[in-house]
Amino acid sequence: MLESLADKIQAALKRLRTKGKLSEADIKAALRQVRLALLEADVNFRVVKNFIGQVQEKAVGQEVLSSLTPAQQVVKIVQEELISLLGGGTSQLERSQDALNIYMIVGLQGAGKTTTAAKLARLLAKEGRRPLLVAADIYRPAAIEQLQILGEKIQTPVFAMGKQNPVAISRAAAEKARREGYDTVLIDTAGRLHIDDDMMTELIEIKAAVQPTETLLVLDALTGQDAVNAAGEFEAKLGLTGCILTKLDGDARGGAALSVRAVTGVPIKLIGVGESIEALQTFHPERLATRILGMGDVLTLIEKAQETIDADKARDLEQRLRRAEFTLDDFKEQLEEVRKLGPVDQLLGHLPGFGKIKKMPGLKIDEQELVKVGAIISSMTKEERLSPGIIDRRRKQRIAKGSGTTVQDINRLLRQFTDMKKMLKQFKRLEKKGQVPPLWGPLPY
Amino acid sequence: MPDLWSRLNSSLSKTRTALIERFQTLLPRDGRMKEETWEELEEILLTADVGPTVTEDLIQTIKAERVSSLDDIRTALAARLEEIMRAELPRVPTHFTPPLVILVVGVNGVGKTTSIAKLARKFRQDGQRVILAACDTFRAAAVEQLSVWANRVGAELIAHQEGSDPAAVAYDAVQAAIARRAGVLILDTAGRLQTKTNLMQELLKIRRVLGKARPDLPQETLLVLDATTGQNALSQTRLFQEAVPLTGIILAKLDGTAKGGIAVAIQKELGVPIKWLGTGEGFDDLESFEAGAFVSALLTEKE
């Protein structure tokens, strides 16, 4: 699990007093950590270099705001700079009300063009548009069939002309759309290498033939340093109006997006966050900035939580947490609620305060472990769950048998549970003194 | 090996050109290595996706050797890289009872199906009877895609309907492979992000089905990585390895401008050997991995 950048910077600046100005040496120590985090996140080497230079310039000599520690101050500057580098705000898809909108979808092989085309068609159809999908990938075996199947799933017509020239296919599709009253055309082109001149020429010809509203590059969020080469070539040869970042539902930091935005200036408009056809969202620079830095992303978590967590259960749990009447049943329930939200390490990463908790030995929460934990707690009697103190060696052996785990697993779970209770008590104590914000504070369930 | 050399050379020539240009500017004028020199070296490694940790480590190692010339750096770097990459294992297990069963896994869009077609082609050229199993029952038209490739390379296909249980396909396929006395069975699986626990469990189930048919199966579990992937390839390798023990890696899409330097980090930190390189779109473009050739092609000037 990645340590949060905020913690690393904290460590780098721990000897600094809380008041005064940020000196060059302080900043350097902190920025070394930032640099590493950005490189680990696959941000392009040169982009990192420029970025660090800029931040350093901005940060040196700044007054440390009374509300912030020096570390927080640096993080704040870094984050603001990242957000501005990522384009500042959200960038909407160009769409005209009266004219036909044509979106041309391009990219390297395996970036996720076909899936993205279908997702985008569904999104636009939901807004009341009439999209037509166009199968212009005549090279990859069964690419046309793939788009047809996806089209059927989202009840969107797919225009295909077999393996004819993609330029002709695109032109014919646009004509058909005009004739038959479609207002949106999505052209799914074949994946290609940016250095393949023949294939790039094909794209240039399609673009010239249909004059698309937008030329969108689909970019894999897992891409490394090469992202700038690929995106740069597509931009130079074809001209892009936007970028769609895919596969952000995994644990990739998505630094490629930053590189591409910084090097080409092409805005990121949408992100793909899952295999289901609904999983396409508007891009928010501030959220990706926090993700690249490995810092909390409370906004996304709140949104996810609002979608997924049962509000009543959450309120009930919050009250129990506050009273520190936390039982193993609650523990299990909480884990299950959390699991609905997605990969746990990522989720905990959304919560700024959880950076430290993740590192507490004995409180390591890992996705695979959760299944085990659930099984163990399910194998306990009601009594045992309410007062785990009574669980002796024989009971442990029974529970281990019942849950297909070992006594060691059970010991570990009980230890984690005790730690968590202890921590909750601490929180309660501090809260009384008014030293920490409420644990679940502003979550608007 | 001239064939391998020429192909590797051409697919890696972009990298090499860049490296040579850079190295020439690195030449120390006063005979000593300047700080800039190390920074440049760092840049070369970082932009090849070697990653900050391994890059730092390589530079420290070479610095410790007190090199004083460009040639020294190059030699030291090549030696260290080769040392890391040399954990070579036989490409294909040498002793096994047929059929040779190869399970192919990886995240979405890395080039699994194409790599499988290329592998199948190699075995077909070797005169083997090859069966392909379409265990990607999730993605639309994945079965059709594999079926087209099966026809092209002359392999048999075992497939069920879209949405069916991939483990059931694996079961039928392994039974068929044994009954038909096939030489090789290659199983194509759906792309999955390594953080999706339930999908990783599905792989385990497929593996278990194979093991039940015969305990030594599958002899090979290959992870396909996209050479353009950055540091996330480490996470991919680590988590796939935890789900199903990997015997090797296919590094695909080396024909672009990506350097595939992440292979160095993977070999060093996780010890999963790279076995094959995907070097083009044609179905003959699959090369066996050679540490020496890989590193040389990366660092040596063209003859």
Side-chain angles (χ1 to χ4, degrees), chain A residues 272-327:
Chain A
V273 290
E275 293 197 50
S276 70
I277 208 87
E278 298 87 37
L280 189 71
Q281 299 174 352
T282 308
F283 170 72
H284 295 279
E286 66 284 2
R287 299 186 191 179
L288 191 74
T290 51
R291 180 181 179 133
I292 288 172
L293 292 174
M295 296 186 343
D297 177 3
V298 183
L299 280 177
T300 301
L301 182 69
I302 291 172
E303 269 180 12
K304 269 190 165 181
Q306 278 172 334
E307 280 167 21
T308 332
I309 287 186
D310 184 319
D312 291 332
K313 270 191 192 166
R315 208 170 298 123
D316 185 49
L317 179 67
E318 188 189 331
Q319 276 166 9
R320 283 161 183 269
L321 281 172
R322 286 186 186 286
R323 292 197 302 266
E325 280 170 14
F326 192 59
T327 67

Side-chain angles (χ1 to χ4, degrees), chain A residues 243-287:
Chain A
C243 180
I244 302 178
L245 201 62
T246 59
K247 305 182 202 173
L248 262 173
D249 46 331
D251 57 357
R253 285 285 173 83
L258 185 68
S259 315
V260 168
R261 181 67 178 70
V263 171
T264 66
V266 175
I268 295 142
K269 300 205 163 173
L270 294 158
I271 55 171
V273 290
E275 293 197 50
S276 70
I277 208 87
E278 298 87 37
L280 189 71
Q281 299 174 352
T282 308
F283 170 72
H284 295 279
E286 66 284 2
R287 299 186 191 179

Side-chain angles (χ1 to χ4, degrees), chain B residues 17-149:
Chain B
T17 317
L19 280 171
I20 293 157
E21 282 169 11
R22 297 255 183 75
F23 264 127
Q24 270 152 2
T25 65
L26 289 185
L27 267 171
R29 294 205 187 86
D30 56 1
R32 275 185 311 144
M33 293 293 123
K34 288 189 196 136
E35 198 43 43
E36 293 161 36
T37 313
W38 297 113
E39 272 174 28
E40 290 272 347
L41 187 60
E42 185 188 32
E43 174 169 1
I44 290 164
L45 293 168
L46 285 175
T47 49
D49 283 319
V50 171
T53 317
V54 177
T55 296
E56 177 65 19
D57 182 76
L58 282 169
I59 290 179
Q60 290 311 326
T61 311
I62 296 166
K63 266 186 180 170
E65 288 175 21
R66 302 193 177 282
V67 288
S68 58
S69 75
L70 176 67
D71 277 343
D72 282 359
I73 287 196
R74 195 183 290 160
T75 314
L77 187 61
R80 182 69 190 115
L81 282 170
E82 260 189 65
E83 194 186 309
I84 292 169
M85 300 308 289
R86 195 169 286 289
E88 281 179 44
L89 288 176
R91 222 64 58 210
V92 171
T94 38
H95 300 289
F96 64 89
T97 322
L100 172 63
V101 177
I102 305 175
L103 179 62
V104 179
V105 301
V107 306
N108 317 62
V110 289
K112 282 180 296 303
T113 309
T114 311
S115 296
I116 286 168
K118 291 176 183 175
L119 265 182
R121 163 96 169 158
K122 283 226 180 302
F123 288 115
R124 288 290 299 139
Q125 281 174 326
D126 211 29
Q128 304 269 10
R129 182 172 185 172
V130 177
I131 296 181
L132 301 182
C135 295
D136 181 354
T137 57
F138 178 80
R139 209 202 67 197
V143 176
E144 286 84 343
Q145 188 183 349
L146 191 65
S147 139
V148 170
W149 280 117

Side-chain angles (χ1 to χ4, degrees), chain A residues 46 194 226 247 249 251 367, chain B residues 43 108 196-197 235 257:
Chain A
R46 281 172 192 263
H194 49 290
D226 195 48
K247 305 182 202 173
D249 46 331
D251 57 357
E367 185 87 1
Chain B
E43 174 169 1
N108 317 62
K196 312 254 154 139
T197 313
S235 162
T257 44

Side-chain angles (χ1 to χ4, degrees), chain A residues 35-36 39-42 44-46 49 108-111 115 139-143 145-147 149-150 153 163 191-196 199 220 222-227 229-230 247-253 273-276 339 343 345-346 366-368 371, chain B residues 14 22 39-40 42-44 46-49 51-53 107-110 138-146 148-149 152 162 191-201 226-236 239 242 253 255-259 281:
Chain A
R35 179 175 181 273
L36 203 65
L39 287 172
E40 293 278 8
D42 289 321
N44 181 267
F45 176 83
R46 281 172 192 263
K49 209 169 175 179
L108 300 175
Q109 288 98 339
T115 309
Y139 308 98
R140 180 164 59 98
E145 287 87 335
Q146 186 187 354
L147 193 66
I149 293 168
L150 290 170
K153 271 188 196 154
K163 308 220 159 163
R192 66 202 71 214
L193 277 173
H194 49 290
I195 48 169
D196 186 333
M199 290 295 282
D220 188 332
L222 307 169
T223 315
Q225 300 283 325
D226 195 48
N229 299 331
K247 305 182 202 173
L248 262 173
D249 46 331
D251 57 357
R253 285 285 173 83
V273 290
E275 293 197 50
S276 70
R339 275 185 72 199
D345 49 346
Q346 221 186 81
D366 139 8
E367 185 87 1
Q368 282 91 339
V371 182
Chain B
K14 290 239 166 205
R22 297 255 183 75
E39 272 174 28
E40 290 272 347
E42 185 188 32
E43 174 169 1
I44 290 164
L46 285 175
T47 49
D49 283 319
T53 317
V107 306
N108 317 62
V110 289
F138 178 80
R139 209 202 67 197
V143 176
E144 286 84 343
Q145 188 183 349
L146 191 65
V148 170
W149 280 117
R152 281 191 203 165
E162 198 186 312
R192 64 203 73 217
L193 289 177
Q194 70 275 20
T195 49
K196 312 254 154 139
T197 313
N198 54 337
L199 295 179
M200 298 306 276
Q201 294 289 332
D226 183 333
T228 61
T229 303
Q231 301 308 300
N232 192 257
L234 276 168
S235 162
Q236 290 173 27
L239 293 181
E242 279 172 18
K253 307 193 198 172
D255 46 334
T257 44
K259 283 101 181 167
E281 291 183 62

Side-chain angles (χ1 to χ4, degrees), chain A residues 155-167:
Chain A
Q155 291 160 3
T156 299
V158 174
F159 182 84
M161 282 172 31
K163 308 220 159 163
Q164 295 192 44
N165 184 328
V167 184

